Every structure is written in structure tokens, then in C-alpha cells.
């Protein structure tokens, strides 16, 4: 069974893969019995003051993997590719530098490769999850503005950009605990500028929750084809939306308001005929997985990461001297 056939058997929602040229300078491959693995190694680097520097380490090594064959032999071939890739990275990275990372994204249901990743120091960092449009009758789009638990839900305006940047920076500070993103200086300013641009181009894709005249939460989506996430277009379907941000102030959480707010966004997107909504969340965030699962999202791709890309050696015991 080749790579795409195996993926379709695991999860029919996954898109077919682009072929990898095994003769390219960044290609890696291995064969073990009837198992095979091919991969394309990529590297990107940013300066700390780049607007995109918040999306992880400054130096990111990534591996795009294809594998086929019986699980045991396929896994052995993948292990050889992983080891060759990590050896390449070790030749260029400073051990222990947390602003380096090695990342690989795999279908969540491809559990045969999990132990090979754990054995090499990778851990699951992020999950890409998808909610498909329900087959039931299309809902009416929500009438906005409208009241929700004493707060006001409305579409965002350009006047909200500064506040959205501030709230997005709070979310970044939280998510930075889980190694997938990094808090950088002036992140909120950069976010505010991005929201001003987005609201000019697409004013109907950001919903805000306002209480007593202050925005205390928001939801923002972009077309999946324009997603800021790497490897975002992994679905066989097309034309969906990527939910970039959902944030609620701490005071708004815990009583079901978040789910009700999200449902309004779902209703608006479902009414517009959006075939699916995809998003990413941190695996280690104790709130994210349960919340998104309860609201109709299922994991489809898991990102595995080593950060730093090359671990610092563990110090040995101190020498004893008289």
C-alpha cells in the first residue's frame, strides 16, 4: 500500500500528497524490506524583530515525510530517515539553543510512528483539528449585533484593532508555555497592525464580544488557503476557513459563554456554505483539547517537535577532589 492509499484508509479527509523528488539536495530516503520512507528537509530562519518570529523558534527545521509498506518495516525506514535528518541538524545547530526547533507533522491516526518519535526526543506540540459543516438544514445567519449573557456580540471594526492586538498578545503569552509559539517584544503592536489590514480587506470575518463598552473576547477567521500555519492545506476538501484566534478574557470563562459565542461564528460560516473550519491548538493546554472536541472539532494532524532542535548534553557528576 503506498503512502496516499494508506492515508486515505486512515482518514479519508486527508488530501493527496505532493511527490518528493528523491534526487533533490534536501531529500532523504531509506528502504527496509518492503517498507520505504522519503522525506524533504526544510529550514527557515528569522530575525527576532520579524512579525513572524512569534510562530516558534527563530530557526526552524521541518521534515515532510512519506512512507509506505507494512508498519514494522515502514517504521524502521522512517527511523533511518529521522536519524539522518537529526545528524544533519546537529552539524549546524548549537546544542541547547531554545530558539531552534525540529518539527514534523503527521496524520494523528498514524500511530505506528509514535514511538519512533518519542525515542528521538520529539513530543506532540500542536494539533490541527477540523469541524465539517453539518449536513442538517443550513441555519439562518445570526443577526448582529445581538446580546449574549449580558454582553454584546458584533462584527469588529477598525477601531477595535488595538484592542484585538492586545488580546492576541495575551493569548500568545499563554500559548508560549507550550513551546509551539514564542512571546517576542512588541508582539501586540505587530498583531494590531495585522488586524487593521485584515479588517480593511475582510470586515466580516472577525466577531467581538463586548461588555460594558470594552472588547473582552474575539474570534477571527481567514480562508484556509491564506492560513498563516505551515502545511495548513491538508484536507481533500477545499474552500474552508481557518480559525486563527479565539480568545476570551478570564472573567468571561467557565459558564458556557465561550461555546455560545463560538456557535454564533459557526452559524455565520455554516450559513455562508463554508464546508469546514480548521484550527490549531496546543496539545499541552489543559483547556483546548476538551473545549474544541465538545464543539465538534476532531484532530486530523499532529505536530511533533524537538525544541531545542539538538539537546544540550546532560552534565555528568562533578569530579571529586580532596
Amino acid at each position: 500500500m503506498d503512502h496516499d492509499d494508506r492515508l486515505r484508509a486512515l482518514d479519508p479527509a486527508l488530501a493527496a500528497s505532493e511527490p518528493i523528488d528523491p534526487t533533490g539536495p534536501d531529500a532523504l530516503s531509506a528502504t527496509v524490506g518492503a517498507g520505504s520512507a522519503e522525506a524533504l528537509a526544510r529550514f527557515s530562519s528569522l530575525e527576532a524583530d520579524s512579525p513572524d518570529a512569534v510562530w516558534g523558534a527563530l530557526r526552524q527545521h521541518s521534515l515532510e515525510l512519506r512512507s509506505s509498506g507494512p508498519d514494522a518495516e515502514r517504521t524502521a525506514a522512517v527511523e533511518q530517515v529521522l536519524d539522518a535528518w537529526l545528524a544533519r541538524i546537529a552539524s549546524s545547530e548549537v546544542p541547547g539553543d531554545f530558539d531552534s526547533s525540529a518539527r514534523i507533522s503527521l496524520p494523528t491516526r498514524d500511530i505506528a510512528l509514535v514511538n519512533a518519535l518519542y525515542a528521538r526526543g520529539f513530543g506532540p506540540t500542536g494539533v490541527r483539528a477540523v469541524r465539517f459543516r453539518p449536513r442538517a438544514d443550513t441555519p439562518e445567519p445570526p443577526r448582529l449585533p445581538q446580546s449574549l449573557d449580558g454582553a454584546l456580540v458584533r462584527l469588529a471594526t477598525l477601531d477595535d484593532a488595538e484592542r484585538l492586538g492586545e488580546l492576541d498578545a495575551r493569548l500568545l503569552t499563554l500559548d508560549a508555555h507550550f513551546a509551539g509559539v514564542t512571546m517576542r517584544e512588541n508582539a501586540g503592536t505587530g498583531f494590531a497592525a495585522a488586524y487593521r489590514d485584515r479588517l480593511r480587506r475582510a470586515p466580516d470575518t472577525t466577531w467581538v464580544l463586548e461588555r460594558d463598552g470594552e472588547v473582552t473576547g474575539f474570534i477571527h477567521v481567514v480562508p484556509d488557503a491564506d492560513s498563516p500555519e505551515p502545511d495548513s492545506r491538508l484536507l481533500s476538501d477545499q474552500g474552508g476557513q481557518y480559525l486563527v484566534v479565539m480568545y476570551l478574557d478570564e472573567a468571561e470563562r467557565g459558564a458556557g459563554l465561550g461555546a455560545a459565542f463560538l456557535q454564533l461564528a459557526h452559524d455565520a460560516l455554516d450559513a455562508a456554505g463554508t464546508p469546514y473550519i480548521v484550527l490549531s491548538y496546543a496539545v499541552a493546554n489543559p483547556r483546548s483539547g476538551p473545549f474544541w472536541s465538545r464543539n465538534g472539532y476532531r484532530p486530523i494532524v499532529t505536530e511533533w517537535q524537538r525544541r531545542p532542535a539538538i539537546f544540550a548534553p546532560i552534565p555528568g557528576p562533578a569530579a571529586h577532589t580532596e
Side-chain angles (χ1 to χ4, degrees), residues 165-226:
E166 177 187 337
L167 295 181
D168 208 349
R170 288 189 195 175
L171 178 59
L172 182 70
T173 300
L174 171 65
D175 281 346
H177 288 89
F178 311 120
V181 297
T182 305
M183 188 63 194
R184 307 285 183 189
E185 189 175 358
N186 299 322
T189 302
F191 286 151
Y195 282 115
R196 277 192 291 273
D197 180 58
R198 292 172 186 172
L199 289 168
R200 288 189 186 101
R201 290 185 289 110
D204 58 345
T205 57
T206 306
W207 300 267
V208 299
L209 185 77
E210 181 182 299
R211 189 179 297 277
D212 299 327
E214 182 173 65
V215 173
T216 58
F218 74 108
I219 295 170
H220 174 65
V221 301
V222 298
D224 188 28
D226 299 334

Side-chain angles (χ1 to χ4, degrees), residues 54-55 125 165-184 187 191 245-250 253 280-289 291-292 307:
V54 298
W55 307 123
T125 312
E166 177 187 337
L167 295 181
D168 208 349
R170 288 189 195 175
L171 178 59
L172 182 70
T173 300
L174 171 65
D175 281 346
H177 288 89
F178 311 120
V181 297
T182 305
M183 188 63 194
R184 307 285 183 189
F191 286 151
V245 178
M246 176 177 177
Y247 180 83
L248 286 182
D249 188 84
E250 287 282 352
R253 302 176 190 173
S280 297
Y281 63 82
V283 172
N285 187 328
R287 293 175 172 171
S288 291
F291 176 82
W292 294 116
R307 185 171 181 185

Side-chain angles (χ1 to χ4, degrees), residues 41-114:
R42 292 191 173 95
F43 173 71
S44 64
S45 63
L46 294 167
E47 297 298 324
D49 59 356
S50 167
D52 291 328
V54 298
W55 307 123
L58 294 181
R59 293 179 309 286
Q60 296 185 17
H61 301 264
S62 62
L63 193 72
E64 187 176 333
L65 180 68
R66 314 277 187 268
S67 61
S68 60
D71 278 349
E73 294 166 309
R74 176 172 70 92
T75 300
V78 169
E79 288 176 324
Q80 290 188 17
V81 166
L82 291 173
D83 291 340
W85 178 46
L86 291 174
R88 282 190 187 184
I89 296 172
S91 68
S92 63
E93 289 293 346
V94 176
D97 187 343
F98 198 67
D99 245 327
S100 68
S101 66
R103 298 186 178 199
I104 179 170
S105 293
L106 296 175
T108 303
R109 294 176 179 176
D110 194 2
I111 61 174
L113 301 180
V114 167

Side-chain angles (χ1 to χ4, degrees), residues 233-246:
R233 293 173 290 282
L234 294 171
L235 298 174
S236 57
D237 209 344
Q238 296 182 1
Q241 293 284 323
Y242 189 92
L243 198 158
V244 184
V245 178
M246 176 177 177

